[in-house]
Structures are given as C-alpha cells and as structure tokens.
Amino acid sequence: MALLTLPTRPIEGQRPGTSGLRKKVAVFRQSGYLENFVQSIFDSLEGFASQTLVLGGDGRYFNDRAIQIIARMAAANGFGRVLVGQGGILSTPAASAVIRARGAFGGIILSASHNPGGPDGDFGIKYNAGNGGPAPESLTEAIYRRTLTIDRILTVEAADIDLGRLGTTALHGMTVEVIDPVADHAALLERLFDFDAIARLIGSGRIRLKFDAMHAVTGPYARAVLTERLGAPPGSVINDVPLPDFGGGHPDPNPTYAEELMVAMFADDAPDFGAASDGDGDRNMIVGRRFVVTPSDSLAVLAANAHLVPGYAAGLKGVARSMPTSAAVDAVAKALGIACYETPTGWKFFGNLLDAGRITLCGEESAGTGSDHVREKDGLWAVLFWLNILAVRGESVEAIVRSHWQRFGRHVYSRHDYEGVDAPAAQALMARLRERLASLPGQRVGAFVVAQADDFAYTDPVDASVTSGQGLRIGFEGGSRIVFRLSGTGTEGATLRVYLEAYEPDVAKHGIETQVALAPLIAAAESLAGIRAATGRTQPTVIT
Ligand code: VG1
Ligand code: CO
C-alpha cells in the first residue's frame, strides 16, 4: 500500500454555507473536487494524529464512493482509526452521538440534508468537531481559505473497504471499524425518554402513529426504536428503506413534500400522531390528526413540557432559537424564568451555548429541534419527546397545542420560500431593502407601522465572535414582524425566504387559518420588497 502525494490546483466555490458544502452530484464527481475539500479540512485541523474520525452519511447517491475516498485520505493524513456506519450510513444526529460517545477527534458527515438526491441531485459534506457539533464559522472559513491555496492531496493506494460487514480492517496502518449506525444513538435516546410509558401507550391502542422516513436515512433508526423497541405495529413506519435518490422525492418534512403522510393524517381514519424526518434525520415534522404543528410551536411545547420527560425533569438551563424562528419559545422561557438566546440560522451557532451549559433545548423554524444530548438537531429525538408528552398527558396533539396557545398566546407563523429564483435578482432585492432599513422606522406599510429594522448581527456570548448579515428584520408596532433572508443551502439559483410572524393573544381568534391571519403581513412583505417584480413569481414555491 503506497502513500501517494498527488498534485492538485485550487477549485473555486468551495465555501461552506449554512450547513457544509453542498453542490450538484455532477460537481462533486469532478476530478479532485471532493479530494480538495477533504484535504482542506484535514489541513485546517491540528492534533489528530492517531485519533479517531467518525465517517458516515445519509446514503444518497455518491455516499458510498465518497466514503472510500475519504477513508483512504484519512489514513494517508495520519488518523489512527475511522469509525464508519455500516453501509456508509449515519444520520446526522447519530454521527454526533457517536463522536461524543467514542471520544472521537471529529467526524465527516456526507449529506445535502433536505435537498433531493440521485445522479442529478445534490451532494454535501461537512466537518463536525470533537463536541459532535458542526464546525464553527472560524473553522469553516479556515477550510475555505485552504481550498484557495491547496496544491497536494494525500491518499493511499488500497482496495475498497467492505462497508457491509461489521468489524475492523487495517488500512495503511489505520484501523477502519464498521459500526452499527443505530446502536449508540438509540441507547442515548433510551436514557432520555420513558420508553416503557411510550410502549404502554402504543400497546394500549390508545394512539396510532405513522412515521414517514421519506426513503431517507431514518428508516433503520425508526424501525429499531419505534417498531422493535416500542412495539409500533406494522405499517407505522412508512418509506423506511433508504434509497440513493430518496425514491425521486424531496426529503424535506413539510406539508408540501411529505405528501403521503399528510394524506394519511387528514384522512377520515387518520392516525393520532404523525411525523416525518429529512434526508439526514435531523429535521422533524409533527402532525396530529388533521392538525400540523408549526416547528416554532413545537419547540415551545417541548420547552413547556420538558419537566414531564425523564431526561429533562431536572429543569432547563436555558433555551435558544434561530433569529427567524417565532418567539413562542421566548414566552415559555419567560414563564420558566430562564434565558432565551437568539442566534443566526444554522445549528453551528448553538454549539457554544450548549457546550457552555447555558442552554438545554434549542430549535429552528425549519423543523429542527434538539438538546444538549448531542450537538445536532435530532428528528427521532423530537418524535420521542412528543410521544413521551402524549404518554404522560393523555391528550391529543391538537389539544396540547391549543392549551399551550391559551396559556401563552399564539405566535401565528409562516415561512414563504421562493426557490430557484434568479440569484442576481434576489441579491438585488435584498440590497435594495438593506439600503432602506435605516429609513423605515416610523413609516407606514399597509396596515402596519415599522418600529425597528436591521440586518441581524450576532455576537456569540461565549467567545465574542461576531457574525453579521444574517437576515433583514422588520418589526412592527404591536409585535408583528417580517424577516427576509437568502438560503445558504441551495444549489440552484437563489432561494428567498420570507418569514412572517404575528402575535395573537385572543383565544377566540386562535382558530383562524394561518395564511388568512397573516394576509395583511403577506401584503406588507410584498409592498416592502417587491417580490413579484424582482422574482417574476406570483406565489411562493413552498409555504410552511
Ligand atoms: C436551512 C434552514 C436552516 C437549517 C439549514 C440546515 O438553511 O433554514 O434553519 O439550519 O437549512 O438544515 P438555509 O440557509 O437554506 O435557510 V439541514 O436539515 O438542511 O442540515
Ligand atoms: Co437535515
């Protein structure tokens, strides 16, 4: 087995976005593309000689090839051990759990998460540090800078590893251990939740559940936990076989893309509890019978009911949410007398707060919820948290959310996405609005008067690092707000996200359909930003 030093040249455009580097599969398959980025990761790290690297992905097209390439490079760069999920599979939260449980130096996760897969779809890669969490901005920027100067790649000449068989093999002096992708994560979840109570609830027949794995990575995890351990009957976990192209679907757990689940949950004989997860298993959607729980509300409900769950019975240290996420959890934090932090979009910004013990729960409006048990959002964790609450309270999903609104008021919330729009046009829309921010306060926009407007900047309370340009916030008198942001995970054109939020304390108005309740705010967003004229779209692509 020869050690090879292969010359290479920098490739442009390898700057990680909200969550790692995501590009079309065709881009990643270009000669040297993956290799350059992986070598840039290794060149930006120090002290990993003889240490352990965790490696796995969501099973999408090119996952298996990429694993072989990265394992050879890890050996050449001096890692002592690579732990790889069987079949190359590790959900994002499971990878985080494995890194932490095994004391690894870090991990590489292969995923483009909710983006479609297959030969014409997307691929992605990101580095997670020894805390199990996504690399902080300082590291992703260092990796990017390295991609601009890289001139050689280290690899070894070796046969492919057999990813199908559990056990260890040697690779150029490094050990490769193929591990069960589910075991560490499932054991961790079992310590946090009252599995016996959930199993009793399911076994009693008092609730029927349906989990849609969307042909993505959570199939094996959901089968092991929901079916085998908790006794959910056959048919409870659907689309549970991971496919390299996710069956041609869009593995994004929202009412638009998780269509099969939505049809089931709105049928006459609908189950009581429905859930779905995304490509890499870190997102979750929670649905009651004919009732969708908004992710921002879900975070707030989990925080308000955390004392009912064994792993959190001792109380929450604090909570955090990404800036565009609704303030529903803020209201809970206030009632509990705990801190609530507002961070930029992307899980990497929760890492310091979790490591410093300032927060226990955190979440994002994009269907991500998690806690200090790992350093990623965790889809199956959220599902079990809800099931644990249902087991204790014995009420329906809808009843739990409605009584939550009754107590805290309803933060009526929606996100409108304009996907794949012309990038320069979207950037120009943002630039025009950014220029007007300072002049907006005091101005009337439709039914509203602007109270404050800014471009969100965040100073990390732990390490004082500053991140700016994180979304245009326009707050109105009375507490409603609109946020405009461009996505940092897409691979085609630009995606404009418009986040809409209004606070409704009046219980009599809680039943109003969300889009109807938000109609005046939707009109205000159009008049502020001129979305139709700039994008040529009359409707959002996806409404969540
Ligand atoms: C989106 C979401 C963000 C999430 C990110 C990664 O980012 O808005 O909240 O953290 O995806 O999630 P953006 O930049 O496209 O808005 V995942 O499940 O795709 O890793
Ligand atoms: Co994801």
Side-chain angles (χ1 to χ4, degrees):
M1 276 193 237
L3 178 68
L4 304 174
T5 304
L6 308 174
T8 190
R9 278 214 291 265
I11 300 173
E12 62 173 28
Q14 295 199 320
R15 178 179 243 147
T18 312
S19 178
L21 181 69
R22 294 187 190 175
K23 301 283 175 193
K24 291 274 164 217
V25 166
V27 174
F28 266 102
R29 287 169 88 181
Q30 289 168 49
S31 162
Y33 195 92
L34 175 70
E35 291 86 343
N36 269 22
F37 190 74
V38 172
Q39 189 63 51
S40 297
I41 295 175
F42 294 156
D43 288 350
S44 307
L45 301 173
E46 270 170 26
F48 58 76
S50 309
Q51 301 280 311
T52 299
L53 181 76
V54 172
L55 182 58
D58 62 12
R60 67 179 59 223
Y61 188 82
F62 195 55
N63 190 70
D64 47 355
R65 293 312 313 148
I67 298 254
Q68 302 289 352
I69 292 169
I70 297 167
R72 283 196 272 270
M73 290 181 66
N77 278 273
F79 276 94
R81 175 183 292 261
V82 162
L83 298 175
V84 51
Q86 189 174 24
I89 293 284
L90 277 176
S91 78
T92 291
S96 186
V98 172
I99 293 171
R100 294 169 67 80
R102 314 278 184 117
F105 183 86
I108 290 181
I109 302 176
L110 304 171
S111 172
S113 188
H114 57 288
N115 300 13
D120 301 323
D122 290 352
F123 191 74
I125 174 169
K126 69 174 185 166
Y127 177 74
N128 279 31
N131 70 346
E137 290 260 289
S138 52
L139 181 51
T140 56
E141 279 302 296
I143 294 168
Y144 172 60
R145 281 196 302 277
R146 181 60 187 152
T147 68
L148 302 175
T149 59
I150 189 161
D151 59 1
R152 58 95 187 86
I153 282 156
L154 304 180
T155 187
V156 296
E157 227 169 17
D160 280 358
I161 312 155
D162 180 359
L163 295 174
R165 206 164 39 88
L166 297 177
T168 56
T169 44
L171 180 65
H172 195 82
M174 183 184 83
T175 304
V176 177
E177 185 179 347
V178 177
I179 60 167
D180 175 347
V182 177
D184 284 8
H185 188 227
L188 179 57
L189 295 174
E190 188 154 4
R191 287 200 293 278
L192 295 172
F193 301 107
D194 188 344
F195 271 35
D196 292 340
I198 300 172
R200 273 198 305 276
L201 175 71
I202 293 171
S204 72
R206 275 192 291 125
I207 71 158
R208 284 185 303 131
L209 64 96
K210 203 173 259 310
F211 178 87
D212 189 348
M214 301 187 84
H215 286 304
V217 79
T218 41
Y221 294 86
R223 267 199 313 262
V225 174
L226 299 177
T227 313
E228 286 159 29
R229 181 64 186 79
L230 296 170
S236 303
V237 180
I238 57 171
N239 299 319
D240 60 341
V241 178
L243 298 173
D245 67 349
F246 308 119
H250 206 127
D252 194 347
N254 62 44
T256 304
Y257 293 132
E259 203 196 337
E260 189 177 339
L261 178 72
M262 291 299 286
V263 169
M265 295 308 296
F266 280 76
D268 287 342
D269 63 341
D272 308 272
F273 179 83
S277 191
D278 70 334
D280 60 332
D282 55 358
R283 296 188 182 200
N284 72 90
M285 175 171 73
I286 303 294
V287 195
R289 180 184 290 164
R290 292 186 215 108
F291 186 85
V292 178
V293 184
T294 304
S296 296
D297 279 345
S298 178
L299 173 63
V301 169
L302 298 193
N305 291 277
H307 59 283
L308 304 177
V309 172
Y312 306 94
L316 305 177
K317 293 170 183 157
V319 292
R321 61 165 172 86
S322 66
M323 180 274 285
T325 303
S326 95
V329 75
D330 301 40
V332 176
K334 200 171 164 208
L336 293 174
I338 57 174
C340 178
Y341 299 86
E342 184 177 42
T343 59
T345 294
W347 213 260
K348 59 189 161 195
F349 295 103
F350 293 132
N352 278 347
L353 297 169
L354 291 162
D355 285 350
R358 290 190 184 221
I359 60 169
T360 308
L361 295 191
C362 47
E364 297 191 280
E365 50 65 39
S366 54
T369 355
S371 85
D372 57 2
H373 69 296
V374 288
R375 293 294 180 273
E376 289 280 3
K377 52 190 187 270
D378 190 339
L380 196 53
W381 170 90
V383 171
L384 292 169
F385 207 131
W386 266 96
L387 287 171
N388 201 148
I389 293 171
L390 294 177
V392 176
R393 290 187 48 169
E395 295 163 68
S396 72
V397 170
E398 179 171 354
I400 287 172
V401 174
R402 288 201 185 279
S403 68
H404 185 93
W405 289 344
Q406 208 159 32
R407 177 169 171 209
F408 295 100
R410 179 177 176 198
H411 293 260
V412 188
Y413 187 87
S414 183
R415 187 178 94 185
H416 288 195
D417 290 334
Y418 297 82
E419 293 181 345
V421 300
D422 180 56
Q427 279 147 13
L429 176 153
M430 293 291 284
R432 277 195 302 275
L433 197 54
R434 193 175 291 114
E435 268 167 31
R436 288 171 51 211
L437 288 175
S439 67
L440 286 178
Q443 278 191 33
R444 177 167 286 282
V445 185
F448 304 91
V449 176
V450 178
Q452 68 267 333
D454 69 358
D455 190 349
F456 181 56
Y458 176 66
T459 303
D460 186 300
V462 178
D463 67 12
S465 58
V466 176
T467 311
S468 52
Q470 295 300 304
L472 309 182
R473 305 192 281 188
I474 293 143
F476 300 102
E477 285 175 10
S480 298
R481 70 168 187 163
I482 306 174
V483 175
F484 296 88
R485 230 189 112 248
L486 294 184
S487 156
T489 58
T491 60
E492 259 178 67
T495 292
L496 172 68
R497 304 203 194 284
V498 184
Y499 308 83
L500 307 140
E501 177 176 355
Y503 181 63
E504 182 53 78
D506 183 355
V507 180
K509 294 185 181 156
H510 286 172
I512 300 176
E513 203 272 320
T514 305
Q515 301 306 315
V516 174
L518 293 175
L521 214 47
I522 295 167
E526 172 60 29
S527 94
L528 270 168
I531 301 164
R532 277 183 209 162
T535 64
R537 304 280 176 85
T538 52
Q539 290 292 326
T541 324
V542 178
I543 294 179
T544 48

